[in-house]
């Protein structure tokens, strides 16, 4: 009887040890048994982002190389600051093997919630850019995310079942983020099925072939059917290319504008709510408006089908309350259309004169304007 009890005890003890060993070996590591082979290179390129200045944590992934240094894509909102230079400089990248490296913020696009990091390391990573390992999202695609779930400092693999590319539409309160907690920005998004929990912002969203289709940015409340959102990869790549074009070592590139790029580059969720910022642009942070003395802001009004001037500089010929009904004789049915026209013709602020027709019949000429949105 005693011998039988000892055998049972030994068997139970061995089972516990086995389970403990399996748990210990898998804890904090990807489950390669369920991860598609092609996705493993995505995991190996992914890391935890620790931002000292903002005390925020996020996710990033190596995208390509610059002068031998790995260049990574992450989100913007967790490294965002309310004061210049508007992005944290003390940033750390921690990979799955525990190795950590200092990272420099090269530049960012706030409106698309994308930032670029330059890692101070000699690691060998998969070069997604060189291998064109990106893909357009299609309805029904299998997608998965790899990221720093709940900001706990360990990478997790989350497999979804499908992706809805039609999520990249003008939607209200979807794909929004706030660096200040009060002033929300809206970004073009894909609706996805895999997890993008807190701490996973900036994570790569891959298909079963290991191609990156999007970058995680926002998770809607679980009470609202737990919808997840990610920025289409085309905007992340466009931001990265723009940053690299304007990058200077030790100085960086700062904020870059993708206005005029793609259908959703001037992304506005509501024509009646989002503010169009026009004029010689200085800076815009939270509720602080800093335009040149000849600058102004306006918002589209559905009722009058015009653009109401909401703020005007002291030397601006347009005044608060004026309603713009046409630009250079052309009428526009929304802020995006007007901004596209301004961007195409007046982006450089080279002194070209724009003629604004007002609702009272007056025509006002404004010289040397540039365009910006918020």
């Amino acid at each position: 009887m005693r011998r039988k009890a000892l055998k049972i005890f030994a068997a139970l003890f061995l089972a516990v040890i086995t389970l403990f060993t399996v748990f210990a070996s898998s804890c904090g590591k990807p489950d390669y048994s369920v991860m598609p082979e092609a996705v493993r290179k995505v995991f190996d390129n992914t890391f935890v982002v620790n931002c000292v200045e903002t005390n925020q944590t996020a996710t990033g992934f190596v995208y390509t190389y610059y002068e031998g240094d790995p260049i990574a894509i992450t989100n913007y909102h967790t490294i965002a600051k309310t004061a210049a230079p508007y992005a944290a400089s003390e940033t750390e990248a921690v990979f799955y093997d525990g190795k950590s490296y200092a990272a420099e913020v090269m530049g960012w696009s706030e409106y698309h919630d994308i930032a670029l990091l330059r890692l101070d390391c000699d690691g060998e990573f998969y070069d997604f850019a060189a291998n064109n390992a990106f893909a357009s999202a299609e309805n029904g695609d299998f997608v998965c995310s790899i990221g720093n779930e709940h900001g706990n400092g360990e990478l997790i693999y989350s497999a979804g079942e499908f992706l809805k590319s039609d999520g990249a539409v003008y939607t209200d309160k979807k794909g929004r983020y706030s660096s200040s907690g009060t002033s929300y920005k809206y970004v073009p998004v894909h609706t996805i099925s895999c997890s993008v929990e807190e701490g996973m912002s900036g994570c790569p969203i891959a298909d079963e072939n290991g191609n990156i289709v999007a970058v995680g940015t926002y998770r809607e409340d679980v009470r609202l059917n737990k919808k997840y959102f990610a920025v289409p990869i085309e905007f992340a790549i466009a931001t990265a290319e723009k940053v690299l074009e304007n990058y200077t070592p030790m100085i960086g590139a700062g904020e870059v504008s993708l206005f005029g790029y793609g259908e959703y580059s001037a992304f506005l969720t509501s024509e009646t709510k989002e503010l169009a910022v026009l004029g010689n642009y200085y800076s815009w942070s939270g509720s602080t408006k800093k335009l040149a003395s000849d600058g102004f802001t306006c918002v589209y009004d559905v009722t009058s089908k015009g653009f109401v001037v909401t703020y005007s500089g002291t030397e601006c010929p347009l005044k608060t309350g004026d309603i713009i009904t046409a630009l250079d004789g052309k009428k526009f049915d929304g802020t995006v259309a007007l901004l596209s026209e301004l961007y195409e013709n007046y982006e450089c602020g080279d002194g070209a004169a724009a003629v604004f027709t007002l609702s009272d019949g007056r025509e006002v000429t404004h010289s040397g304007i540039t365009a910006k949105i918020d």
Side-chain angles (χ1 to χ4, degrees), residues 151-194:
N152 62 11
E154 295 178 346
L155 300 178
I156 62 102
Y157 166 76
S158 172
E161 298 177 356
F162 59 88
L163 183 146
K164 295 181 180 178
S165 58
D166 59 356
V169 294
Y170 284 45
T171 54
D172 187 28
K173 295 186 178 180
K174 291 184 178 180
R176 73 174 185 173
Y177 73 90
S178 172
S179 59
S180 64
T182 56
S183 179
Y184 287 95
K185 307 292 181 183
Y186 294 79
V187 296
V189 294
H190 285 316
T191 304
I192 58 177
S193 57
C194 54

Side-chain angles (χ1 to χ4, degrees), residues 72-263:
I73 290 174
T74 186
N75 74 96
Y76 169 75
H77 69 262
T78 56
I79 64 173
K81 301 190 300 180
T82 56
Y86 303 111
S89 58
E90 293 186 48
T91 308
E92 176 190 45
V94 183
F95 286 84
Y96 68 95
D97 58 4
K99 293 181 180 178
S100 62
Y101 307 96
E104 170 198 356
V105 178
M106 301 175 72
W108 62 91
S109 170
E110 179 180 4
Y111 296 102
H112 295 86
D113 198 19
I114 297 293
L116 211 63
L117 303 176
R118 183 176 183 177
L119 276 55
D120 185 14
C121 69
D122 299 322
E124 294 184 5
F125 300 95
Y126 184 77
D127 195 332
F128 281 94
N131 291 285
N132 296 315
F134 304 104
S136 297
E138 300 291 342
N139 274 5
D141 283 352
F142 165 88
V143 287
C144 64
S145 62
I146 295 170
N148 175 23
E149 187 180 38
H150 302 308
N152 62 11
E154 295 178 346
L155 300 178
I156 62 102
Y157 166 76
S158 172
E161 298 177 356
F162 59 88
L163 183 146
K164 295 181 180 178
S165 58
D166 59 356
V169 294
Y170 284 45
T171 54
D172 187 28
K173 295 186 178 180
K174 291 184 178 180
R176 73 174 185 173
Y177 73 90
S178 172
S179 59
S180 64
T182 56
S183 179
Y184 287 95
K185 307 292 181 183
Y186 294 79
V187 296
V189 294
H190 285 316
T191 304
I192 58 177
S193 57
C194 54
S195 178
V196 182
E197 303 286 351
E198 180 182 0
M200 293 178 70
S201 294
C203 70
I205 309 295
D207 62 18
E208 59 186 343
N209 297 314
N211 295 317
I212 306 296
V213 300
V215 180
T217 185
Y218 177 76
R219 181 196 63 147
E220 198 169 37
D221 195 294
V222 293
R223 292 169 296 181
L224 302 177
N225 299 319
K226 203 172 184 178
K227 296 178 180 178
Y228 302 113
F229 301 99
V231 178
I233 191 61
E234 62 176 294
F235 295 107
I237 299 304
T239 298
E241 292 176 346
K242 193 83 168 183
V243 168
L244 290 173
E245 287 175 10
N246 294 276
Y247 175 71
T248 301
M250 306 302 293
I251 298 177
E255 183 177 6
V256 298
S257 173
L258 296 186
F259 188 71
Y261 174 84
E263 184 177 357

Side-chain angles (χ1 to χ4, degrees), residues 47-94:
F47 56 87
V48 171
V49 179
N50 292 323
C51 307
V52 177
E53 295 169 73
T54 64
N55 195 32
Q56 297 283 333
T57 184
T59 305
F61 63 96
V62 175
Y63 148 73
T64 190
Y65 285 86
Y66 177 87
E67 296 184 348
D69 289 337
I71 303 302
I73 290 174
T74 186
N75 74 96
Y76 169 75
H77 69 262
T78 56
I79 64 173
K81 301 190 300 180
T82 56
Y86 303 111
S89 58
E90 293 186 48
T91 308
E92 176 190 45
V94 183

